[in-house]
């Protein structure tokens, strides 16, 4: 018997309701006191193409995709064709047998196939032209029976999901659920090993990465967000559009990403905490403005959710191939900070931190994340809001206090101060007049080409990186500190690496993991120390060329023994493939 | 209590202008300063946002809060400033390249939003700062560094586009007509909604065709005619069909103001920039229930 450890894959088609079914199932598992991790693998298509939604559940925290789905709810034949081979021995298929024939070309003897006439049950009992959409829910009923899940819990989740659509819809869904459970009870003999047991319900949040990022920003005082819809950052725009007005904040859907990012700089100049979010194609358009943020010394936060590239690439799939972009894109020398959350929780806290860093050091801060973190849901403990601080640095926004401008001239907005961070009055503050400028400027912001002043200004701006360095989130060391087999990565592979490390430990192979949270300025010294005794460094990343591995010698200033572990087919790495890669060099 | 206004245009002087002697941009700077005095605005209440070009250098020469942005992007920057703090008087000063070429996308969308800002386009029909290439407002056949045999492209007309896109205030001024420019700028700034003024400001160095003398012969002043600027269709007809270039207020929507910031902020007296962001003062914990 396998208790409380399984992954259910709902294989359907875009727009057929399998997404909602998956969402309900995730809530049901959560309500049973279990931890949940979901993966939406969807095409760039609204209706018709195959999708899958995988819900993994376990009795302790999970951050990674399971190596394989255990149970496949094959809403149609195609799902079985696509995913049937992924099942492990003893895996389960729930298959729609309405056509009267068994699953075509499916010859696996080692999996448990439950044939249920999903479509016929639905059409015969629920009637109406749109009856078929309840097929998913009938299959939930079957699943509930097989896993011995209390139907009442599912009904609660259904009620929550559909109550705004009216009582009739709720009742139809209940009926569909009962039909499924009843069919299973009367016709199916359970042969598979999977069961779920209810635990004490934990206080946990089942949250989408994008929502966590947006929430973290709001709690950290974000009051202006401008964006242009793009996968996987659209949900940030949508979440904030729904929540910001209540906090006297503004969300603008801009005409393009250039407008979005330059609006953010305008809002920043005026004194608002601002942010934009995008993916690779939009980030390309924002490049010139990143440099302006550096030169005009205006806070800018960009959430960069990577997806498969190049160009329009794999627009709904996971990749981490924009690392070089965020580190180096845009012309000229200027300071920038790049952070990389490894989990949804870090997405919340690091975004809040990014807003502080951008304002304190008056520069662009890019939060580099990816489609999987942005668009997957998982259970996490409630956020600790007491950890959120707002530090606006040297912002001068007290309308009462008149500032002293030297010689009665403009305010020295770009004063050549020791730490590089000059006080920044916002428009309308008496005595604070100055020019914010993308052009090389003197202390008041006026255009200059004076060579000495140019050098001084350049040095002042770049000094901010050194001022900021001690405040930046350092690399995190996970695992056995004395291990000489070391993982190095950033972002979402973190969860899969953790799980791989546990398994390797069980197999007697100790490992450690150095998780980078600040990618720029690169914490060369700390990372160098952590990697010093490594026999082999496995650099794990979702891209073709191994961008981090290739940059490492430059970033560290020394060459260390590395092996690249990469994946770039658009799917999330599994712990299993990391284990395998590690065993090859262990 | 409000203090008596005692500023003169001297208080708006900043760096000394470096434009070529005779450049049309001088007239715009002078008229803008005078308009501010007439409107009794102080430099602190004004934000002048510019792009890149000879014209955009005005942010060095006009004393207020100013923001010299990048080429083509002053409109989104300015729109956001106004949304963040609607108490500010936000002016965009731009060129015909900055505003109508690289920045054209923003032009139409700024009009759609109708943020209460004023856009002054210093239209000299060339790219001045890059030394005289034809611009989107240059006439077909205009000879320049990049059109040695004359431009093969037809020009666009900013006010016509603005009218078609639904702008609530559209005007044209001539930088040598100081009185007219001042009055037009004042009206544009006073207008509640997006206002655009296409200012004919000759480039004496690179445009030897559209000179002051040429304009004097080719413009007609609407103030000297019996023209009511309240009909959009009529304004468009005038701009498109008039043999001479009409100068003055072409169109002003006199219906009640309906600005973007009023729509999104609900309470204009509570500018978001004055909020204390200390998380202790805000209720954020409740949001977590959505995920429970
Ligand atoms: C992105 C970008 N492209 C090109 C330039 C070069 N450039 C600077 S000003 C300018 C044209 C300015 O023309 P206009 O806006 O008409 O202003 P004018 O100089 O005529 O007043 C160009 C092309 C630039 N600064 N940035
Ligand atoms: S080049 Fe033309 S636009 Fe530029 S300053 Fe000289 S006259 Fe004015």
């Amino acid at each position: 018997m396998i208790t409380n450890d399984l992954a259910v894959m709902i294989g359907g088609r875009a727009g057929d309701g399998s997404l909602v079914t998956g969402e309900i199932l995730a809530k049901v598992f959560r309500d049973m006191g279990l931890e949940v991790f979901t993966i939406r693998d969807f095409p760039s298509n609204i209706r018709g193409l195959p999708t899958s939604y995988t819900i993994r559940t376990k009795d302790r925290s999970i951050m990674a995709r399971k190596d394989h789905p255990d149970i496949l709810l094959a809403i149609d034949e195609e799902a079985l064709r696509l995913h049937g081979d992924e099942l492990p021995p003893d895996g389960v298929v729930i298959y729609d047998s309405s056509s009267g024939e068994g699953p075509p070309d499916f010859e696996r003897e080692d999996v448990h196939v439950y044939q249920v006439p999903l479509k016929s049950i639905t059409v015969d009992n629920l009637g109406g032209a749109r009856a078929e959409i309840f097929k998913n829910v009938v299959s939930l009923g079957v699943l509930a029976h097989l896993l011995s899940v209390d139907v009442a819990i599912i009904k609660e989740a259904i009620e929550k999901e559909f109550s705004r659509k009216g009582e009739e819809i709720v009742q139809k869904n209940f009926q569909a659920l009962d039909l499924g459970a009843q069919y299973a009870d009367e016709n199916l003999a359970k042969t598979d090993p999977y069961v779920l047991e209810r635990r004490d319900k934990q206080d946990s949040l089942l949250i989408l990465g994008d929502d966590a990022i947006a929430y973290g920003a709001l709690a950290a005082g974000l009051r202006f967000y401008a964006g242009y819809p793009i996968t996987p950052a659209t949900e940030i725009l949508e979440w904030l559009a729904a929540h910001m007005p209540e906090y006297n904040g503004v969300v603008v859907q801009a005409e393009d990403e250039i407008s979005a990012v330059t609006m953010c700089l305008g809002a920043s100049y005026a004194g608002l905490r601002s942010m934009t979010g995008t993916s690779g194609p939009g980030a390309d358009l924002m490049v010139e403005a990143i440099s302006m943020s550096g030169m005009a010394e205006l806070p800018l936060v960009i959430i960069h959710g990577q997806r498969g590239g190049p160009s329009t690439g794999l627009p709904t799939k996971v990749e981490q191939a924009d690392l070089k972009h965020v580190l180096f894109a845009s012309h000229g020398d200027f300071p920038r900070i790049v952070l990389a959350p490894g989990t949804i929780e870090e997405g919340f806290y690091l975004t809040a931190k990014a807003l502080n860093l951008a304002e304190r050091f008056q520069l662009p801060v890019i939060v580099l994340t990816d489609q999987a973190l942005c668009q997957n849901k998982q259970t996490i403990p409630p956020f600790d809001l007491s950890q959120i601080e707002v530090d606006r640095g040297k912002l001068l926004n007290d309308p009462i206090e008149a500032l002293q401008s030297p010689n009665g001239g403009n305010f020295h907005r770009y004063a050549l101060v020791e730490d590089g961070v000059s006080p920044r009055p916002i428009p309308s503050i008496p005595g604070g007049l100055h020019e914010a400028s993308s052009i090389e400027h003197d202390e008041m912001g006026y255009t200059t080409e004076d060579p000495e002043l140019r050098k001084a200004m350049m040095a002042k701006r770049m000094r901010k990186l050194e001022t900021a360095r001690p405040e930046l989130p350092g690399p995190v060391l996970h695992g056995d500190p004395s291990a000489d087999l070391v993982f190095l990565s950033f972002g979402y592979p973190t969860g899969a690496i953790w799980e791989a490390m546990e398994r390797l430990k069980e197999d007697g192979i100790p490992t450690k993991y150095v998780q980078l949270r600040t990618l720029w300025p690169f914490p060369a010294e700390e990372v160098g120390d952590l990697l010093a005794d490594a026999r082999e460094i496995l650099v794990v990343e979702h891209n073709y060329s191994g961008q981090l591995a290739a940059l490492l010698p430059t970033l560290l200033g020394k060459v260390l023994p590395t092996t690249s572990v990469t994946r770039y087919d658009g799917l999330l790495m599994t712990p299993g493939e990391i284990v395998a890669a590690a065993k090859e060099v262990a | 209590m409000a203090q008596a206004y005692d500023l003169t245009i001297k208080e708006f002087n900043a760096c000394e202008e470096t434009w070529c002697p005779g450049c049309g941009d001088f007239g715009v700077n002078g008229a803008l300063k005078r308009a501010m005095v007439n409107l009794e605005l102080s430099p602190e209440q004004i934000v002048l946002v510019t792009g890149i070009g000879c014209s955009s250098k005005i942010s060095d020469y006009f004393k207020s809060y100013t923001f010299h942005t990048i080429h083509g992007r002053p409109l989104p920057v300015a729109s956001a400033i106004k949304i963040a703090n609607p108490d500010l008087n936000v002016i965009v000063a731009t060129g015909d390249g900055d505003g109508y070429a690289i920045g054209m996308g923003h032009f139409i969308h700024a009009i759609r939003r109708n943020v209460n800002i004023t856009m002054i386009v210093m239209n000299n029909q060339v790219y001045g700062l890059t030394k005289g290439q034809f611009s989107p407002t240059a006439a077909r056949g205009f000879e320049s560094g990049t059109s040695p045999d004359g431009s093969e492209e037809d020009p666009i007309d900013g006010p016509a586009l603005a009218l078609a896109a639904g702008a609530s205030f559209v005007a044209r001024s001539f930088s040598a007509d100081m009185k007219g420019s001042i009055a037009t700028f004042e009206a544009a700034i006073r207008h509640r909604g997006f206002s655009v003024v296409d200012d004919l400001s000759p480039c004496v160095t690179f445009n030897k065709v559209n000179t002051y003398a040429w304009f004097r012969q080719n413009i007609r002043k609407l103030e000297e005619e019996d023209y009511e600027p309240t009909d959009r269709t009529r304004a468009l007809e005038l701009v498109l069909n008039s043999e001479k270039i009409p100068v003055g207020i072409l169109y002003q929507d006199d219906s009640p103001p309906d600005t973007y910031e009023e729509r999104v902020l609900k309470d204009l007296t509570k500018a978001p920039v004055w909020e204390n962001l200390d998380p202790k003062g805000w209720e954020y914990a409740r949001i977590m229930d959505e995920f429970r």
Side-chain angles (χ1 to χ4, degrees), chain A residues 30 160 203-207 211 215 218-219 221 223-224 239 243 246-248 250-256 258-259 262-263 266-267 269-273 288 292 298 382-383 385 388 390 392 397 408 410 425-439 446-447, chain B residues 14-15 43-47 50 52 59-71 73 76-81 83-85 88 102 105-107 109-110 112-113 260 264-267 270-275 277-279 282-292:
Chain A
R30 190 266 317 266
K160 261 195 213 165
D203 184 11
S204 70
L205 311 179
L206 178 59
I207 190 168
D211 291 354
Y215 183 14
L218 176 67
R223 289 298 180 271
F224 187 92
W239 194 91
H243 290 81
E246 204 184 314
Y247 296 85
N248 202 19
V250 177
V251 173
V252 183
Q253 177 170 304
E255 59 272 23
D256 58 35
I258 298 176
S259 176
T262 50
M263 279 189 188
Y269 171 70
L272 274 195
R273 285 214 149 173
E288 193 188 4
M292 166 154 71
L298 288 168
F383 296 118
L385 288 170
I388 303 291
V390 171
R392 309 201 66 183
N397 63 347
N410 271 4
I426 65 169
S428 89
I429 297 290
L433 294 184
H434 66 269
E435 177 168 11
S437 188
S438 77
I439 300 176
Y446 289 137
T447 304
Chain B
C15 300
E44 281 84 3
Q45 297 170 283
I46 302 164
V47 180
T50 63
I52 296 296
S59 48
D60 270 6
Y61 314 144
F62 180 95
K63 185 156 171 171
S64 70
Y65 275 95
T66 63
F67 189 170
H68 208 149
T69 71
I70 45 178
H71 193 32
R73 317 299 168 198
V77 172
S79 302
I81 293 170
I83 296 164
N85 188 354
L88 296 167
I102 191 165
H106 308 311
F107 180 53
H109 294 282
R112 272 180 59 229
R113 291 192 185 95
Y260 183 84
V264 299
L265 290 175
K266 295 170 188 89
D267 182 359
K270 277 181 67 191
V273 291
W274 305 125
E275 298 280 13
L277 298 181
D278 184 349
W282 299 87
E283 163 59 305
Y284 296 120
R286 180 164 40 92
I287 294 175
M288 270 185 271
D289 291 344
E290 287 173 29
F291 307 112
R292 285 196 162 102

Side-chain angles (χ1 to χ4, degrees), chain B residues 185-206:
Chain B
F185 293 172
E186 273 182 50
I189 294 167
R190 224 183 263 120
H191 174 77
R192 257 175 68 191
F194 188 85
S195 49
V196 54
V197 183
D198 182 88
D199 187 280
L200 307 167
S201 29
C203 170
V204 293
T205 305
F206 296 115

Side-chain angles (χ1 to χ4, degrees), chain A residues 537-575:
Chain A
I537 302 162
L538 291 146
V539 187
V540 182
E541 50 191 318
H542 272 282
N543 57 55
Y544 171 82
S545 60
Q547 296 189 3
L548 177 61
L551 284 170
L552 204 56
T554 315
L555 295 171
L556 282 176
K558 57 183 164 194
V559 180
L560 296 173
T562 58
T563 302
S564 256
V565 182
T566 62
R567 179 161 190 167
Y568 52 92
D569 60 357
L571 300 174
L572 196 57
M573 228 180 261
T574 61

Side-chain angles (χ1 to χ4, degrees), chain A residues 381-399:
Chain A
F383 296 118
D384 177 7
L385 288 170
S386 71
Q387 280 189 42
I388 303 291
E389 284 170 12
V390 171
D391 182 348
R392 309 201 66 183
K394 297 186 187 173
L395 184 75
L396 303 174
N397 63 347
D398 185 341

